Amino acid sequence: MRKILLAVLLAFGLPAAADETCLSPYTTALIKGQEDYIHVWALGVKDLGDGQDKLVTIGANPKAKDYGKVVSSVSVGGRGEAHHMGFTDDRRYLWAGGLSDNKIYVFDLQDPAKPKLTKTISDLGAKTGYLGPHTFYATPGRMIIGTLSNTKDKGGVTGLAVYNNKGEYVAKYDLPVSGGGDGYGYDVAINPAKNTMLTSSFTGYTNYMRPLGDLVKDGEAMKKFGNTMVVWDHKAMKPVKVLAVPGAPLEIRWSPKAGDNWAITATALTSKLWLVKQEGKEWVAKEVGTIGDPAKIPLPVDISITADGKGLWVNTFMDGTTRYFDLTNPEQPKQTYSKVTGKQVNMISQSWDGKRVYIASSLLENWDKGGADNEQFVRAFDWDGKELKPAFEVDFTKEKLGRAHHMKFSAKPR
Amino acid sequence: MRVRATLLVLAALVAFEVPAAQDEKRVAFPQQLFTAPPAGSYSLPPIQAAPRGTVLDEQGRSRSLAGYLHGHVTLLSFIYTHCTDPAGCPLAFATLAAVRDRLAARPETAKAQLVSLSFDPRYDTPDVMRLFTKTYDGNGRKPAWHFLTTASDSQLAPLLVGFGQDAAVADAPGGARRLDHTLRVFLIDRRSRVREIYSSAYLMPEVIVNDILTLAAEDGTP
C-alpha cells in the first residue's frame, strides 16, 4: 500500500529548487537557489534539424557537467509559432503555446532534465473563438491564458481563456471593447492582495504573422495595435477600468517586494516605461521613462524585474541592447547600464538573486532579422551589479534547434 | 499494547498540534487590501468535478465522499495532523476556523460544511481525527466540520489525483517525515463540482465566505 501512495506522490513530482522573478506568484513556494536548467521554447525553422517547434533544456548549474550544454530536446510534431510558456501553480507542468497553430503543449517536468510532452490542447479556438495563446498565468488549480487574436477575422480583438490544470476548458472572458477598450490582449498579471488583475495589448494574427518590413510600411495595419491596459476585478473576472497606454504595452510586472503596490510595463512602439498604481481608490497609468531613442523605434520587447522591485532589465530588439533601470523611485526610473548583447535580442530572464541573466534572440518568425543579423541563441551572463559578464552561450542555429524564444527555470529536487 | 502506545503518541501529537493550528498568530494569513465583492455579484464557473472515492469518518465508518458532498456547499482541504509548517496545514485550519466563525450567524448557509481530509492515513487514523472533531466541536456547531481520513494509501490515491492535489514525501529534522504539498482549499457546490480553489495567497476568510454565500444562493437542483 505504501508503494501506491509513494507512486502517487512521486507522480506529482518534487518541489523545484530555484526560481525566477517573472512567474505567477501563485506557484509553489519560491526557492531562491541556483537553477539547474533553462527550458527554452524554440520555433522550428524549415530545413534546420527536424524543422519542428521544440522545448530545449540547457544545463545552467556551473557545478554540473552539463553546464551550458543542451541536455534534452522535445519536438512537438509541427511548426506553429512557438512563443511563451508558464508553469502550473504546483510547478509540475509547463504549458507552452503556439501563436499560429493555436495549440497548447503541456510538458511534464517530473524529471526536469527530460521534460515529456504529455498533452496537447487543441480546442482553444473551438471553445473560445480566441487565437494565439500567449501568456500562461497560473492561479490555484487553473491557468489563465492571455490570447492575441480571434479565429473570426484574425484581428486583435481577443480575450482570456481559463483551463483547469487537467487541461479542460473552464471559462472565457472577452477583453472590453467599450469604455475606451480596444479589445486587444497580450500579458496578464495579478496582485491578489488588491484583487486586481492587469492586462496589456498587442496586435492580431494578421499583423504578427506578417513580415515586419512589410507591416511597418502599411499605415492602416500599423493602426491595429493595442493602446490600452485593463484593470480587472480578479475575483469577479470583470473589467473595472481601461487605462490609455499608447504604443502596445507588453509584459506587465508587479513589484515582488512585499508592501509595494505598483506594476510596470514597456510599450513596444513608443519605447516608454509606464507605471500602473493606485492613487486613492483610482488605478492610474503614468508614463515614467524613455527607453533608448523612441524616434529610432528600438522596440522594447521584454522586461525582467528584480526580486526587491528596485531594478528592471529591458531588452530592445532592433538595437540588440540590454538596459538596466534603477527603480528605487518607480515614478522616475533611471537607466544605469546598457550593453549590446546580440544583433537581435528578445526575452530576458533573471534569477531570483539577480546574479544571473539569460537572453534569447527570437521575436517572431516573420519579425526576426535576416542574413547575418539573424543570430539565434541563448546567452547566459553573470551580473555583479556593474557589468554583464558572458557565462555561456548555446547557438541554436549551429545546434539545429531553431529560434530561441521564451525561457523558464527549473531545478533538480533537493 | 503497541496500538495503545501508538495512540498515546498520536494523542500527544494532536494535543500539541490542535492548539498550534488554532493560534492564528503563527500562521501567515495573506494580506487582503480590498473589500470582497458582494456575494452573488459574480459567478464561479465549475472548474472540475470532485472525484468519487471512499473515506472514513471519525467513527471509522466507511463512507462515500460523494455522499458527504451531495447537497452541501463544502469547503475542503487536505491536511495532515503532524504538519507544523505555519504556511501549510495550520493556515488551512486557521482559515477554516475563521470562515466557520463568520458563517455561524448566517442561516442561509445551514447546509454548508467544512471538511479536513488527511492525506496521511498512516498517522491520521479515525481515532486521531476524532480528537480533532472533539476539539473543534465538529458536529456540535453549524456549519459542521468533519475530520476525515482514508483506510489506506490505495483509497487515498484517487482522491489526490482527482482533486489535483500534489504531495511529496520529504524528510524532516529528527528523522520525522514531512508531506510537501501546495496548500489548496477546494470550494465544492451541491452538485459536487469544484467551483473555487484557494492557495496561500488567496486564503482570505471574507472572500471565501462571500463565495460560499454565492453558491448557497444558487439553485442546487442537479
Side-chain angles (χ1 to χ4, degrees):
Chain A
M1 291 298 182
R2 202 70 204 150
K3 289 180 180 175
I4 295 172
L5 177 59
L6 275 174
V8 171
L9 297 177
L10 288 172
F12 274 111
L14 298 165
D19 237 308
E20 65 262 52
T21 59
C22 294
L23 284 168
S24 154
Y26 319 113
T27 50
T28 304
L30 301 174
I31 300 172
K32 286 93 177 177
Q34 168 70 48
E35 58 279 5
D36 287 321
Y37 302 106
I38 307 298
H39 306 285
V40 187
W41 187 213
L43 293 78
V45 173
K46 188 181 178 184
D47 299 327
L48 182 69
D50 65 11
Q52 299 180 20
D53 294 344
K54 53 181 64 67
L55 185 68
V56 177
T57 297
I58 300 169
N61 190 331
K63 294 181 180 177
K65 291 180 180 177
D66 58 15
Y67 180 61
K69 296 177 181 175
V70 174
V71 296
S72 69
S73 173
V74 183
S75 296
V76 298
R79 196 162 59 245
E81 195 69 38
H83 206 71
H84 279 203
M85 304 186 284
F87 284 105
T88 50
D89 64 326
D90 55 12
R91 301 217 65 190
R92 171 63 188 270
Y93 296 96
L94 188 55
W95 292 32
L99 293 184
S100 66
D101 66 10
N102 215 19
K103 292 180 180 177
I104 299 163
Y105 301 94
V106 180
F107 296 93
D108 182 348
L109 266 65
Q110 182 180 4
D111 178 355
K114 297 178 180 176
K116 292 180 181 175
L117 177 62
T118 57
K119 189 178 185 73
T120 301
I121 299 170
S122 304
D123 65 357
L124 177 67
K127 293 285 188 184
T128 66
Y130 302 150
L131 171 62
H134 179 271
T135 293
F136 297 91
Y137 202 84
T139 57
R142 283 151 292 175
M143 189 71 83
I144 296 178
I145 303 163
T147 65
L148 300 185
S149 191
N150 67 78
T151 56
K152 190 175 179 182
D153 66 6
K154 298 189 176 181
V157 176
T158 189
L160 309 173
V162 178
Y163 278 68
N164 67 26
N165 279 4
K166 299 174 193 291
E168 300 162 338
Y169 170 74
V170 173
K172 60 170 283 190
Y173 303 92
D174 291 343
L175 270 296
V177 292
S178 60
D182 51 26
Y184 284 33
Y186 186 81
D187 204 11
V188 178
I190 297 168
N191 180 340
K194 298 295 289 186
N195 187 36
T196 297
M197 178 171 73
L198 297 174
T199 53
S200 54
S201 56
F202 181 45
T203 193
Y205 180 100
T206 51
N207 272 357
Y208 67 70
M209 292 302 291
R210 189 172 174 183
L212 185 60
D214 292 345
L215 176 63
V216 297
K217 296 172 188 169
D218 184 339
E220 285 304 307
M222 289 302 291
K223 293 177 183 175
K224 296 176 180 175
F225 279 82
N227 294 300
T228 61
M229 294 180 71
V230 179
V231 181
W232 298 69
D233 178 331
H234 171 45
K235 163 56 69 176
M237 291 297 281
K238 293 178 181 174
V240 173
K241 185 176 183 180
V242 176
L243 305 171
V245 184
L250 300 183
E251 269 73 14
I252 306 164
R253 303 289 177 242
W254 288 100
S255 171
K257 183 185 174 189
D260 275 0
N261 187 26
W262 51 264
I264 196 160
T265 191
T267 52
L269 301 182
T270 46
S271 211
K272 301 288 186 179
L273 289 171
W274 283 75
L275 185 71
V276 178
K277 62 178 293 191
Q278 204 171 22
E279 292 187 343
K281 290 186 177 181
E282 282 292 308
W283 287 96
V284 298
K286 296 179 173 181
E287 181 189 316
V288 292
T290 297
I291 304 160
D293 179 357
K296 296 178 180 176
I297 312 180
L299 211 60
V301 278
D302 194 22
I303 57 177
S304 179
I305 195 167
T306 57
D308 62 5
K310 292 185 176 178
L312 187 77
W313 291 104
V314 180
N315 265 1
T316 44
F317 179 79
M318 297 305 287
D319 58 7
T321 300
T322 298
R323 295 174 167 83
Y324 185 83
F325 287 82
D326 181 342
L327 282 187
T328 303
N329 179 358
E331 305 253 2
Q332 293 181 319
K334 293 177 182 173
Q335 182 181 315
T336 57
Y337 177 81
S338 73
K339 182 186 183 81
V340 174
T341 50
K343 291 179 177 172
Q344 57 183 6
V345 295
N346 187 34
M347 303 308 292
I348 180 163
S349 298
Q350 66 183 301
S351 56
W352 189 268
D353 60 13
K355 294 180 179 177
R356 296 168 300 285
V357 176
Y358 301 89
I359 290 170
S361 51
S362 179
L363 175 50
L364 289 158
E365 178 180 3
N366 292 320
W367 288 25
D368 283 352
K369 297 179 180 178
D373 287 343
N374 185 29
E375 291 181 332
Q376 294 296 343
F377 58 80
V378 165
R379 287 180 179 150
F381 296 88
D382 292 323
W383 172 246
D384 60 4
K386 297 177 181 175
E387 178 67 24
L388 282 176
K389 296 175 180 173
F392 70 79
E393 173 180 349
V394 174
D395 184 328
F396 271 55
T397 301
K398 184 179 177 183
E399 300 279 347
K400 298 183 178 180
L401 296 169
R403 303 170 187 268
H405 194 83
H406 206 195
M407 300 169 285
K408 289 293 178 188
F409 304 166
S410 73
K412 297 174 184 174
R414 295 192 172 102
Chain B
M1 287 294 288
R2 182 175 294 173
V3 171
R4 187 178 175 190
T6 303
L7 287 176
L8 284 172
V9 170
L10 289 172
L13 278 172
V14 170
F16 175 76
E17 290 304 332
V18 169
Q22 289 177 314
D23 181 2
E24 295 188 3
K25 291 178 182 174
R26 288 188 63 228
V27 302
F29 277 108
Q31 271 194 313
Q32 184 189 331
L33 304 174
F34 62 97
T35 301
S41 69
Y42 54 92
S43 61
L44 297 169
I47 298 168
Q48 63 195 43
R52 293 179 174 274
T54 303
V55 296
L56 296 180
D57 71 9
E58 300 93 330
Q59 306 304 321
R61 294 174 298 202
S62 186
R63 297 185 58 179
S64 75
L65 180 63
Y68 262 103
L69 300 180
H70 184 74
H72 295 274
V73 175
T74 303
L75 192 62
L76 180 148
S77 72
F78 284 93
I79 51 94
Y80 65 106
T81 59
H82 52 100
C83 175
T84 56
D85 176 5
C89 306
L91 174 57
F93 270 112
T95 303
L96 266 61
V99 167
R100 193 187 200 198
D101 287 345
R102 288 167 179 255
L103 289 177
R106 305 298 296 249
E108 67 269 45
T109 60
K111 294 286 280 182
Q113 62 180 356
L114 312 177
V115 171
S116 293
L117 175 56
S118 173
F119 47 16
D120 195 0
R122 179 174 169 182
Y123 291 98
D124 292 337
T125 63
D127 290 329
V128 173
M129 304 311 277
R130 192 161 61 247
L131 290 172
F132 276 77
T133 302
K134 186 177 179 182
T135 300
Y136 284 92
D137 195 14
N139 291 312
R141 291 172 52 197
K142 294 289 183 183
W145 191 344
H146 303 290
F147 294 88
L148 308 179
T149 189
T150 47
S152 62
D153 300 331
S154 60
Q155 209 169 67
L156 171 66
L159 297 176
L160 290 174
V161 171
F163 274 108
Q165 174 64 66
D166 64 311
V169 178
D171 294 328
R177 205 175 57 105
R178 196 179 71 223
L179 290 175
D180 286 339
H181 60 283
T182 304
L183 176 57
R184 288 196 177 113
V185 177
F186 301 87
L187 179 60
I188 305 162
D189 69 13
R190 285 175 286 204
R191 296 166 61 186
S192 298
R193 300 175 302 182
V194 175
R195 301 288 294 276
E196 186 56 286
I197 305 172
Y198 312 93
S199 61
S200 54
Y202 287 91
L203 285 171
M204 303 169 188
E206 182 196 3
V207 177
I208 297 171
V209 165
N210 283 4
D211 289 351
I212 291 172
L213 292 170
T214 297
L215 297 190
E218 291 181 343
D219 178 3
T221 306

